[in-house]
Amino acid sequence: FNEVEAKFRLTPERLILRRGSAIGASMGLSIDGIYDFGKQEMDFQGVLSPIYALNALGSILTRKGEGLIGFNYTLRGGPERPSVQVNPLSIFTPGMFRDIFRRPPPKVSQ
Protein backbone atom coordinates (compact mmCIF):
# COMPACT_ATOMS: atom_id res chain seq x y z
CA PHE A 1 0.00 0.00 0.00
CA ASN A 2 1.19 3.51 -0.82
CA GLU A 3 -1.27 5.37 1.38
CA VAL A 4 -3.13 4.38 4.57
CA GLU A 5 -5.43 6.62 6.60
CA ALA A 6 -8.38 6.41 9.00
CA LYS A 7 -10.44 8.35 11.49
CA PHE A 8 -10.46 6.47 14.78
CA ARG A 9 -11.03 6.73 18.50
CA LEU A 10 -9.04 4.65 20.94
CA THR A 11 -10.39 4.12 24.48
CA PRO A 12 -9.35 1.56 27.12
CA GLU A 13 -12.38 -0.55 26.10
CA ARG A 14 -12.38 -0.37 22.30
CA LEU A 15 -10.99 0.86 19.03
CA ILE A 16 -13.58 2.56 16.83
CA LEU A 17 -12.41 2.77 13.23
CA ARG A 18 -14.23 5.00 10.78
CA ARG A 19 -13.51 5.61 7.11
CA GLY A 20 -10.26 3.68 7.03
CA SER A 21 -8.60 3.18 3.67
CA ALA A 22 -5.47 1.66 2.20
CA ILE A 23 -4.50 2.31 -1.41
CA GLY A 24 -1.94 0.69 -3.67
CA ALA A 25 -1.59 0.02 -7.39
CA SER A 26 -2.83 -3.55 -7.10
CA MET A 27 -5.48 -3.17 -4.40
CA GLY A 28 -7.71 -0.66 -2.63
CA LEU A 29 -9.36 -1.35 0.71
CA SER A 30 -11.89 0.45 2.87
CA ILE A 31 -12.72 -0.54 6.46
CA ASP A 32 -14.79 0.63 9.40
CA GLY A 33 -16.01 -1.01 12.58
CA ILE A 34 -15.19 -1.75 16.20
CA TYR A 35 -12.65 -3.89 18.06
CA ASP A 36 -13.67 -4.61 21.68
CA PHE A 37 -10.56 -5.18 23.82
CA GLY A 38 -12.48 -6.74 26.75
CA LYS A 39 -14.28 -9.33 24.64
CA GLN A 40 -11.39 -9.55 22.17
CA GLU A 41 -13.87 -9.40 19.31
CA MET A 42 -13.97 -7.40 16.12
CA ASP A 43 -16.83 -6.33 13.90
CA PHE A 44 -15.51 -4.69 10.74
CA GLN A 45 -16.88 -4.18 7.24
CA GLY A 46 -15.52 -2.72 4.05
CA VAL A 47 -14.79 -3.13 0.38
CA LEU A 48 -11.83 -4.76 -1.35
CA SER A 49 -11.15 -3.33 -4.82
CA PRO A 50 -8.79 -5.35 -7.03
CA ILE A 51 -6.56 -3.80 -9.70
CA TYR A 52 -6.97 -0.44 -8.00
CA ALA A 53 -4.77 1.48 -10.46
CA LEU A 54 -7.40 0.91 -13.18
CA ASN A 55 -10.43 0.46 -10.96
CA ALA A 56 -9.90 3.84 -9.26
CA LEU A 57 -10.61 5.78 -12.44
CA GLY A 58 -14.22 6.08 -11.34
CA SER A 59 -13.41 6.54 -7.66
CA ILE A 60 -14.63 10.14 -7.58
CA LEU A 61 -18.06 8.55 -7.09
CA THR A 62 -16.93 6.22 -4.26
CA ARG A 63 -15.29 6.25 -0.83
CA LYS A 64 -11.52 6.41 -0.61
CA GLY A 65 -9.97 2.97 -1.12
CA GLU A 66 -12.91 1.74 -3.18
CA GLY A 67 -13.06 1.61 -6.94
CA LEU A 68 -16.08 1.22 -9.16
CA ILE A 69 -15.70 -2.55 -8.90
CA GLY A 70 -15.25 -4.14 -5.48
CA PHE A 71 -16.24 -6.92 -3.12
CA ASN A 72 -18.04 -6.14 0.16
CA TYR A 73 -16.61 -8.04 3.12
CA THR A 74 -17.17 -8.45 6.85
CA LEU A 75 -14.62 -9.46 9.45
CA ARG A 76 -16.04 -10.65 12.78
CA GLY A 77 -14.99 -12.63 15.83
CA GLY A 78 -11.73 -13.01 17.69
CA PRO A 79 -8.31 -12.24 16.24
CA GLU A 80 -7.20 -15.89 16.48
CA ARG A 81 -10.05 -17.24 14.34
CA PRO A 82 -11.88 -14.39 12.63
CA SER A 83 -14.86 -15.06 10.41
CA VAL A 84 -14.35 -13.47 7.01
CA GLN A 85 -17.30 -13.24 4.66
CA VAL A 86 -17.13 -11.86 1.13
CA ASN A 87 -20.21 -11.14 -0.94
CA PRO A 88 -19.24 -12.17 -4.50
CA LEU A 89 -22.42 -10.64 -5.94
CA SER A 90 -21.40 -7.20 -4.63
CA ILE A 91 -19.05 -6.88 -7.60
CA PHE A 92 -22.17 -6.11 -9.66
CA THR A 93 -23.06 -3.14 -7.42
CA PRO A 94 -21.45 0.04 -8.79
CA GLY A 95 -19.37 1.87 -6.21
CA MET A 96 -21.71 4.81 -5.81
CA PHE A 97 -24.54 2.51 -4.61
CA ARG A 98 -22.60 0.43 -2.06
CA ASP A 99 -23.57 2.58 0.94
CA ILE A 100 -27.21 1.60 0.39
CA PHE A 101 -26.39 -2.03 1.20
CA ARG A 102 -24.19 -1.67 4.27
CA ARG A 103 -24.69 -0.41 7.79
CA PRO A 104 -23.44 3.07 8.64
CA PRO A 105 -19.91 3.34 10.06
CA PRO A 106 -19.60 3.83 13.83
CA LYS A 107 -19.58 7.38 15.18
CA VAL A 108 -16.25 8.82 16.33
CA SER A 109 -16.79 11.55 18.88
CA GLN A 110 -14.18 14.21 19.54
Side-chain angles (χ1 to χ4, degrees):
F1 295 112
N2 300 335
E3 183 180 338
V4 177
E5 66 179 51
K7 292 182 181 181
F8 69 94
R9 180 164 180 95
L10 182 61
T11 70
E13 297 84 30
R14 59 174 53 171
L15 166 67
I16 303 167
L17 187 60
R18 178 178 166 85
R19 293 236 183 237
S21 65
I23 299 170
S26 61
M27 185 184 330
L29 177 78
S30 69
I31 187 169
D32 56 51
I34 297 172
Y35 182 80
D36 187 308
F37 295 119
K39 296 178 184 175
Q40 292 192 353
E41 288 188 359
M42 62 185 101
D43 185 6
F44 293 108
Q45 67 178 357
V47 174
L48 174 67
S49 297
I51 316 167
Y52 191 73
L54 295 175
N55 199 356
L57 294 175
S59 66
I60 58 169
L61 304 172
T62 64
R63 288 173 47 173
K64 192 165 189 172
E66 299 179 12
L68 282 178
I69 298 169
F71 297 95
N72 288 24
Y73 72 89
T74 59
L75 182 61
R76 293 189 173 117
E80 318 81 44
R81 296 191 63 146
S83 169
V84 179
Q85 294 180 327
V86 176
N87 181 352
L89 297 177
S90 62
I91 196 151
F92 298 116
T93 305
M96 60 194 136
F97 298 114
R98 277 193 206 109
D99 282 339
I100 296 170
F101 300 108
R102 63 178 158 198
R103 65 179 185 247
K107 302 274 190 249
V108 178
S109 58
Q110 299 295 342

